[in-house]
């Protein structure tokens, strides 16, 4: 970003994503049968958003992304998260970063049928 987003702006973005039902659902795994989606009880978008105020550059952010992508997701919650880095800056002048992590099943073309 040329101007880093505000915490409120990122929270608003996450809430707007949660208007889509899939962001409020978790994947249920059943033995011997197909998996299915169900509404997550007590869903709260704030549980999926973290703010990390540490000062980061490009290399440090890449290292954090690598670590994050090698950790599993909580199967009891909708399979996505967002981390906001308001103090990120790189050598090209970009400021602020938002890392969205989605389970691949959320991007399946059949999931987004209207």
């Amino acid at each position: 970003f040329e101007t880093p987003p505000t915490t409120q702006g990122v929270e608003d973005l996450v809430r707007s994503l949660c208007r889509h039902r899939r962001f409020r659902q978790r994947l249920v795994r059943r033995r011997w049968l197909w998996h299915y989606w169900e509404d997550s009880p007590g869903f709260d978008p704030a549980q999926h958003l973290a703010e990390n105020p540490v000062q980061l550059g490009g290399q440090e952010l890449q290292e954090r992304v690598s670590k994050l992508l090698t950790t599993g997701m909580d199967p009891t919650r909708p399979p996505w998260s967002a981390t906001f880095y308001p103090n990120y800056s790189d050598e090209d002048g970009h400021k602020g970063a938002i890392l969205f992590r989605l389970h691949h099943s959320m991007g399946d073309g059949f999931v987004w049928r209207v």
Side-chain angles (χ1 to χ4, degrees):
F1 302 100
E2 290 180 13
T3 303
T6 63
T7 299
Q8 183 63 50
V10 174
E11 289 171 353
D12 291 345
L13 174 62
V14 166
R15 273 194 297 278
S16 71
L17 288 173
C18 292
R19 289 184 299 184
H20 299 282
R21 186 175 184 197
R22 187 64 70 221
F23 281 85
R24 301 185 313 268
Q25 294 182 316
R26 64 183 179 180
L27 189 59
V28 178
R29 297 178 175 109
R30 295 190 341 190
R31 273 181 118 173
W32 316 112
L33 299 173
W34 292 89
H35 299 348
Y36 64 95
W37 292 95
E38 74 175 8
D39 292 340
S40 182
F43 174 76
D44 179 2
Q47 293 178 342
H48 294 266
L49 176 61
E51 183 172 333
N52 190 327
V54 69
Q55 186 74 35
L56 292 175
Q59 183 62 37
E60 294 92 355
L61 184 61
Q62 287 182 3
E63 290 169 8
R64 286 177 185 261
V65 168
S66 293
K67 277 186 187 178
L68 185 64
L69 294 179
T70 59
T71 59
M73 293 184 160
D74 182 349
T76 65
R77 295 175 33 182
W80 66 274
S81 65
T83 306
F84 175 39
Y85 296 94
N87 296 319
Y88 167 79
S89 62
D90 67 15
E91 57 278 352
D92 295 326
H94 300 115
K95 299 184 183 330
I98 305 169
L99 173 62
F100 283 97
R101 183 176 178 212
L102 304 167
H103 188 276
H104 68 90
S105 62
M106 291 185 71
D108 182 335
F110 292 104
V111 168
W112 294 103
R113 290 181 296 193
V114 177

